[in-house]
Amino acid sequence: MVYTGVCNFNSRHGCLKCTTVGEYSHQYHTVVFPNSRCPKRTNEEFRNKKYRDRLKSDTPLLKLPIDMIEDFPISDSLHLIDLGVMKRLLVGWRDGNFKNLTTKWRADDTLKVTQFLLTCKLPSEIHRSMRGLDELHHWKASEFRSFFYYLSIVILPDFMSKGPYEHFLTLFCGVTICSSLKYSSILDLSHELLLYFVENFKTYYGNYITSNIHNLVHITDEVRKFGPLNTFNSYPFENKLYCIKKMLRAGNKPLSQIAKRLTESDWNVKSKLSKAKNETNQYPVIKTNSKNRKIIDFGMFVISNKIQDKYFMTTEEEIIEVAEITDEHIKGYRIENVSDIFELPIKSSYLNMFKTGVQNGNRTTEIISFNNVSYKFVVTTNKNELYFIPLLHTLII
Ligand SMILES: [Zn+2]
């Protein structure tokens, strides 16, 4: 942590947010943080050099009128959740590299999870489709993210026993609550759930409470200050870096190549912006694709009769499957007999998540106006049941 002049995250005094003191684990060859309930660090104490064990040098940032503790977030979901906790758990379940082997999957379990992942059709807004667990070490952060938010609660109950699955659900619910403004009134509950997950981690995975696991107890404070997790993570920076890398056409003089490409693209963006200004940009917009299929563009999401894009919640709290889209409205089937996916630690319906049997038989159509579309679902099928989980960024208050 050169920028704040403090020691590294995996040193004994490594927590940026609290005064917990880690212990070196000879079993895991890293520092672990068994204590989750320690006093918070404060800006005043940082500036008064109270944290002598932690400070390595003065930082020029001290000259700025900022909070030296609160203004340095640790809850970047890309690194903390997706490439952090979710990756650690999935690799651990597959390979059994936790010291407690009760959570290890058999080889045929791993194969079945892979088969499920390869059949999942994620909505058009999620550009990367899922790969199998055999390619886990090549998964991008966004694949761990899709698994965590949209697939884990569908497939994990088939391969985990009750204890570890219910433990995982406290992480799932805690992080989901931190991921949408819609749940901001229950952030206290989220904190309790995440604290439970961290404090009971050793029951199923050994005393492997690394900095990433420990930091989960600090994320609700940051969500209160900065907003839902997806509003201050590093995905936009990683995406931009990816675009910049793709601009390179040869191995020499990379910086000047990138400068040229950026200048060119700047011109393109300006011309696109001026064109966009002249176009009406009122959503929803009805579009027709090359297969003559109508698509409704709501700005943040699209609805069409493609299998992965055709389920949404109405403002009357009805789940609808698109049957037909016209220029005036949507004709759709109402999904009947929905129930909770899980009941503990809270009912899944509190988080707008439901399941139902695959719908058969004669169904009557309803007419839904575009104004009555509330948010979109990610829908997956497992064992003849349909699972409805809100596409998070479409879920607004
Ligand atoms: Zn801490």
Side-chain angles (χ1 to χ4, degrees):
M1 288 291 177
V2 175
Y3 59 88
T4 48
V6 299
C7 53
N8 206 331
F9 67 91
N10 57 2
S11 59
R12 290 179 63 239
H13 298 273
C15 184
L16 275 171
K17 300 291 169 176
C18 77
T19 53
T20 191
V21 181
E23 302 164 0
Y24 184 79
S25 163
H26 292 280
Q27 186 181 14
Y28 298 109
H29 307 291
T30 188
V31 173
V32 296
F33 297 89
N35 196 348
S36 310
R37 297 176 192 249
C38 293
K40 289 178 189 172
R41 297 188 191 278
T42 66
N43 179 49
E44 194 182 13
E45 289 181 346
F46 185 98
R47 287 175 180 275
N48 290 336
K49 299 188 170 33
K50 194 180 170 199
Y51 308 129
R52 290 189 188 284
D53 292 330
R54 177 167 172 70
L55 290 170
K56 295 174 86 176
S57 59
D58 269 353
T59 162
L61 297 180
L62 285 167
K63 294 173 188 160
L64 297 174
I66 54 175
D67 189 308
M68 292 302 294
I69 305 298
E70 290 187 3
D71 288 334
F72 293 90
I74 46 87
S75 307
D76 167 22
S77 58
L78 184 151
H79 292 102
L80 179 65
I81 311 290
D82 306 335
L83 288 178
V85 184
M86 191 65 256
K87 183 174 183 177
R88 162 110 21 229
L89 288 172
L90 261 177
V91 172
W93 294 329
R94 185 193 68 172
D95 298 344
N97 52 8
F98 293 117
K99 299 300 173 190
N100 180 342
L101 289 180
T102 55
T103 52
K104 184 183 185 320
W105 288 338
R106 299 192 311 260
D108 61 327
D109 291 343
T110 303
L111 201 59
K112 284 175 190 164
V113 176
T114 289
Q115 284 164 350
F116 166 78
L117 294 175
L118 296 179
T119 57
C120 287
K121 285 200 178 301
L122 295 171
S124 299
E125 292 77 9
I126 299 176
H127 302 298
R128 195 180 282 281
S129 51
M130 299 302 295
R131 288 180 280 182
L133 292 183
D134 50 331
E135 297 189 65
L136 205 51
H137 284 294
H138 300 294
W139 279 24
K140 301 289 184 192
S142 58
E143 289 168 280
F144 288 103
R145 178 185 160 80
S146 296
F147 182 88
F148 178 74
Y149 282 118
Y150 304 119
L151 306 176
S152 63
I153 59 168
V154 178
I155 193 65
L156 290 182
D158 292 356
F159 302 103
M160 290 177 76
S161 50
K162 192 167 178 281
Y165 178 59
E166 288 183 351
H167 177 249
F168 173 81
L169 280 179
T170 59
L171 172 75
F172 175 81
C173 294
V175 172
T176 300
I177 291 168
C178 287
S179 304
S180 171
L181 267 185
K182 192 174 178 77
Y183 308 130
S184 55
S185 62
I186 49 172
L187 276 174
D188 286 344
L189 171 64
S190 163
H191 181 65
E192 290 304 314
L193 293 171
L194 293 170
L195 202 53
Y196 180 91
F197 178 80
V198 175
E199 292 189 330
N200 290 275
F201 191 83
K202 60 179 176 295
T203 309
Y204 304 107
Y205 307 110
N207 195 23
Y208 195 42
I209 302 168
T210 56
S211 166
N212 266 349
I213 304 292
H214 170 79
N215 275 337
L216 291 170
V217 303
H218 297 307
I219 70 175
T220 46
D221 282 345
E222 298 198 342
V223 171
R224 278 194 185 89
K225 184 176 172 87
F226 297 111
L229 288 175
N230 67 326
T231 60
F232 63 101
N233 62 27
S234 57
Y235 274 99
F237 303 100
E238 297 283 335
N239 292 341
K240 191 68 188 174
L241 268 179
Y242 173 74
C243 295
I244 289 173
K245 276 189 201 164
K246 281 190 74 169
M247 289 174 184
L248 292 174
R249 291 174 194 167
N252 64 330
K253 296 186 179 173
L255 281 178
S256 58
Q257 282 187 61
I258 286 167
K260 274 184 194 166
R261 302 289 113 73
L262 284 175
T263 314
E264 289 162 14
S265 69
D266 194 34
W267 279 107
N268 288 335
V269 170
K270 279 177 185 161
S271 65
K272 274 183 192 164
L273 281 176
S274 62
K275 195 179 164 197
K277 270 187 186 171
N278 298 327
E279 292 173 355
T280 53
N281 214 10
Q282 291 290 313
Y283 293 110
V285 178
I286 310 286
K287 299 172 178 172
T288 307
N289 72 5
S290 55
K291 292 178 182 165
N292 224 15
R293 177 184 275 161
K294 279 197 164 57
I295 298 168
I296 319 168
D297 184 351
F298 287 90
M300 285 198 294
F301 62 99
V302 297
I303 295 291
S304 74
N305 57 7
K306 263 168 97 173
I307 183 82
Q308 63 268 46
D309 291 326
K310 66 176 182 179
Y311 294 95
F312 61 89
M313 181 67 97
T314 67
T315 49
E316 274 92 42
E317 304 271 299
E318 288 182 340
I319 303 175
I320 299 292
E321 174 188 341
V322 171
E324 187 189 346
I325 294 171
T326 73
D327 286 334
E328 289 79 34
H329 53 245
I330 299 167
K331 285 183 187 169
Y333 307 112
R334 188 171 66 194
I335 302 294
E336 310 278 3
N337 303 321
V338 295
S339 59
D340 284 288
I341 301 172
F342 51 81
E343 305 248 336
L344 289 171
I346 52 173
K347 287 189 171 187
S348 70
S349 48
Y350 290 161
L351 301 177
N352 308 77
M353 299 170 186
F354 310 91
K355 68 174 179 179
T356 186
V358 170
Q359 311 270 297
N360 294 313
N362 290 331
R363 294 188 286 168
T364 51
T365 53
E366 293 187 20
I367 304 292
I368 299 107
S369 84
F370 300 146
N371 288 337
N372 285 351
V373 175
S374 180
Y375 56 87
K376 180 171 174 174
F377 283 109
V378 179
V379 178
T380 42
T381 311
N382 185 29
K383 293 182 176 171
N384 279 331
E385 287 197 297
L386 289 172
Y387 290 78
F388 299 87
I389 299 172
L391 183 59
L392 270 172
H393 73 275
T394 72
L395 193 61
I396 44 181
I397 305 169

